[in-house]
Amino acid sequence: MARDEQSLKATIEQSAAVLTAAGFPRMPARVLMALLVAEAGGLTASELGGQLGVSAAAISGAVRYLEQIGILHRVPQAGSRRDRWEFLDDAWYTALMSKSPVYGVIADLGDRAADAIGDEQAAGSMRAREMARFYRFIDARMPELMREWEQLRER
């Protein structure tokens, strides 16, 4: 089956829009999706800019963000001053696990908000406690989910 570049481009933009709606920065989301479907497994900043129709500065900021959260890494091109950007082997796992400490912090903040409200029956207090319980649940389950994922990948 032939690669449908037009459909792929639309899917990249739709996927990036979903990630953006979920709180992921827009340009890193677009770069992430473009690299995900790249035929060569990676692209230079110039190739990314051309494919997405954006400036080198936009690509630079996006790849820096993705590199900082552990999804991408820079691969020097032999005989060239250009670098390729590629996914790390365990990009999804790494990115999710790097967020793990955040869950406990958010839970603590929910409890602090409820404590500051004072009245445990107040709607805001109840929402804050529910948020704290949810993030503690996620925090407690994440290691088990990651082990499960690793077992599934090994099969």
Side-chain angles (χ1 to χ4, degrees):
M1 188 166 150
R3 188 173 165 104
D4 182 349
E5 293 295 334
Q6 197 167 17
S7 178
L8 199 51
K9 185 173 181 167
T11 302
I12 288 168
E13 293 302 329
Q14 289 167 350
S15 300
V18 169
L19 288 171
T20 301
F24 206 84
R26 184 174 185 270
M27 188 53 59
R30 293 181 72 208
V31 168
L32 173 73
M33 296 313 299
L35 285 168
L36 179 73
V37 301
E39 191 68 28
L43 297 168
T44 65
S46 176
E47 291 167 335
L48 281 164
Q51 183 175 341
L52 298 174
V54 298
S55 70
I59 297 299
S60 176
V63 295
R64 185 173 40 255
Y65 175 85
L66 294 168
E67 187 177 31
Q68 286 173 345
I69 65 171
I71 292 179
L72 299 184
H73 67 122
R74 182 186 320 224
V75 179
Q77 297 283 90
S80 172
R81 292 177 39 175
R82 293 185 176 190
D83 295 322
R84 282 172 55 92
W85 293 96
E86 296 180 357
F87 275 94
L88 290 168
D89 289 339
D90 294 326
W92 305 113
Y93 173 87
T94 302
L96 189 56
M97 289 311 290
S98 71
K99 298 287 186 199
S100 186
V102 169
Y103 304 136
V105 171
I106 293 172
D108 291 344
L109 290 170
D111 283 336
R112 283 180 40 201
D115 291 346
I117 292 169
D119 178 2
E120 288 295 320
Q121 299 306 310
S125 180
M126 292 170 65
R127 285 191 301 269
R129 292 279 186 223
E130 181 69 10
M131 180 186 81
R133 282 192 298 272
F134 172 76
Y135 279 103
R136 283 205 175 82
F137 170 78
I138 295 296
D139 194 38
R141 288 293 314 273
M142 195 55 67
E144 181 183 340
L145 287 172
M146 292 299 101
R147 279 191 299 277
E148 229 176 281
W149 170 245
E150 288 169 1
Q151 291 169 355
L152 189 65
R153 279 183 68 194
E154 289 173 4
R155 290 186 208 149

